[in-house]
Amino acid sequence: MTKYVKTICPYCGCGCSIILHVKNGKIVRTSPAVNDSINKGTLCIKGMLAHEFVHSPERLKMPLIRENRSFKEATWDEALGMVAEKFHNIKEKYGGSAFGVLSSARATSEENYLISKFSRAVLATNNIDHCARL
């Protein structure tokens, strides 16, 4: 038995509606929502293949930290601690202008506001852009 679940495509910020075909608890296919006002029953290649990454054996399920030219699994606390330390070292050595931040058209206004505040207040950079032009 196939279950059909209507949702929003995870790629760009257009907000196309897609139908996920779920069989035995796994997404097996994606199709466009026919009566959608945005994509009007069509999808780009990314939308058509949007389901493929969900059950991929190559999908990362936990943070990885590079150690001696290879990667080791880490906890979120370890990974975020390492990122914070590296950000601090970069900022101390090169200043805030060494950072550039990209936000997303898929993020909410509040999330974009937070990344803007984080960029300016924490990283001390005005180098902020978004993907809406892509």
Side-chain angles (χ1 to χ4, degrees):
M1 192 76 163
T2 302
K3 182 179 176 185
Y4 302 96
V5 180
K6 186 176 180 182
T7 188
I8 304 298
C9 181
Y11 284 102
C12 72
C14 291
C16 297
S17 292
I18 59 176
I19 306 293
L20 301 176
H21 302 241
V22 182
K23 219 179 243 189
N24 299 322
K26 285 193 156 195
I27 302 168
V28 296
R29 183 170 177 247
T30 308
S31 61
V34 179
N35 295 324
D36 186 68
S37 62
I38 295 171
N39 49 309
K40 297 178 175 58
T42 63
L43 288 175
C44 69
I45 190 67
K46 289 179 185 179
M48 289 300 288
L49 302 176
H51 66 285
E52 291 190 349
F53 69 89
V54 175
H55 303 294
S56 171
E58 296 178 356
R59 185 174 181 187
L60 296 178
K61 296 180 181 171
M62 62 193 61
L64 300 176
I65 292 178
R66 188 183 314 235
E67 190 174 87
N68 299 326
R69 299 183 145 231
S70 63
F71 290 102
K72 74 166 194 152
E73 292 179 355
T75 66
W76 281 104
D77 286 340
E78 286 177 286
L80 292 172
M82 177 184 244
V83 169
E85 180 183 339
K86 289 186 181 277
F87 276 14
H88 175 76
N89 293 343
I90 290 168
K91 186 176 169 185
E92 287 293 310
K93 187 172 183 179
Y94 302 105
S97 63
F99 295 104
V101 178
L102 293 175
S103 192
S104 173
R106 293 300 307 263
T108 64
S109 294
E110 293 81 5
E111 290 165 336
N112 278 311
Y113 174 79
L114 287 174
I115 196 67
S116 175
K117 290 299 277 183
F118 173 79
S119 301
R120 290 182 173 92
V122 177
L123 299 177
T125 186
N126 288 322
N127 300 329
I128 307 168
D129 206 350
H130 56 89
C131 65
R133 290 185 307 278
L134 300 178

